[in-house]
Amino acid sequence: EPLMYEMHWWALEEMINNGSAKNCYLRYNSNLSRIKYKGKYLYDYLPQFKNWLMCASIDGTGDIGEFIRKGLVWDKWLHNFKEGLKITEPYPEAGHDKMRIDLTITGPGLFSIKDLFDLSIELNVGIETKIMFAFHPDIVFSAFSWPRHILDRKIDELLTYIEPRVTQKQITLVNTL
């Protein structure tokens, strides 16, 4: 988690101070649990770089997300995500492509995929999608631990809900499902 390390914040300041930030593209994968550190605010730094992308990792919304990911506070994650969207507004050519939902599909998380899809549509942001794999059926957090006929039924239900409204920004979700 890059935003937890003092070195990260020092590097941002150093790059801005020495002028290299204007030539640098930043790509984050963060759980967005922290966007402030010792009086520093991440979204004050990012516009000073040539370009940036935030892939905000999440497994589910609300209570489901908090159950899956220890330490997640859903309302704080959502607030921190929306704060990032505010600084994308001066970049109409990029739209909200600088902020993305980085979804890991888990068994419990299947119950909030509709909510994450709806959030993506509402905020006009993309979803990057990956699956929690399991090499054994006893890894119960993986959707692959579900009996196949139940998993297939759930996937069909999700696709029926998502496909009529999907855009290019959510196509990885459809392809992964």
Side-chain angles (χ1 to χ4, degrees):
E1 180 54 47
L3 304 178
M4 296 297 196
Y5 293 98
E6 179 133 2
M7 173 62 81
H8 167 264
W9 297 92
W10 173 86
L12 290 178
E13 286 188 355
E14 182 65 21
M15 292 176 76
I16 290 166
N17 291 338
N18 72 24
S20 63
K22 68 181 180 299
N23 299 315
C24 183
Y25 174 83
L26 298 176
R27 184 188 185 282
Y28 286 89
N29 188 289
S30 172
N31 62 26
L32 287 184
S33 59
R34 170 185 289 167
I35 57 173
K36 294 179 181 176
Y37 182 77
K38 295 184 178 179
K40 300 169 185 172
Y41 182 56
L42 178 67
Y43 298 135
D44 287 339
Y45 289 88
L46 298 185
Q48 299 180 62
F49 284 77
K50 180 177 182 176
N51 207 342
W52 59 273
L53 170 65
M54 174 62 72
C55 295
S57 56
I58 196 73
D59 308 292
T61 60
D63 291 342
I64 293 171
E66 290 174 0
F67 169 74
I68 297 167
R69 190 173 287 222
K70 184 178 187 308
L72 172 72
V73 177
W74 168 250
D75 290 338
K76 182 177 181 182
W77 183 94
L78 186 57
H79 170 80
N80 290 348
F81 191 90
K82 288 179 177 179
E83 287 292 300
L85 287 176
K86 288 178 185 176
I87 66 167
T88 68
E89 291 168 4
Y91 305 96
E93 70 284 356
H96 285 326
D97 292 339
K98 294 179 178 295
M99 297 291 294
R100 294 190 188 155
I101 296 170
D102 188 6
L103 170 63
T104 300
I105 296 176
T106 65
L110 286 172
F111 293 101
S112 65
I113 285 182
K114 288 179 183 178
D115 293 334
L116 283 168
F117 172 76
D118 289 343
L119 180 65
S120 172
I121 295 289
E122 173 190 334
L123 299 178
N124 190 28
V125 297
I127 299 178
E128 300 294 332
T129 311
K130 55 193 170 295
I131 302 169
M132 178 189 180
F133 284 100
F135 299 103
H136 305 285
D138 61 345
I139 301 175
V140 297
F141 261 67
S142 171
F144 293 117
S145 69
W146 291 22
R148 188 60 197 224
H149 70 282
I150 295 172
L151 179 59
D152 287 346
R153 189 170 56 226
K154 183 64 176 174
I155 298 298
D156 289 344
E157 171 196 319
L158 290 168
L159 288 172
T160 299
Y161 182 81
I162 293 168
E163 284 182 321
R165 300 182 323 163
V166 72
T167 72
Q168 275 305 114
K169 292 185 178 202
Q170 300 86 27
I171 201 67
T172 64
L173 176 58
V174 170
N175 292 340
T176 304
L177 290 172

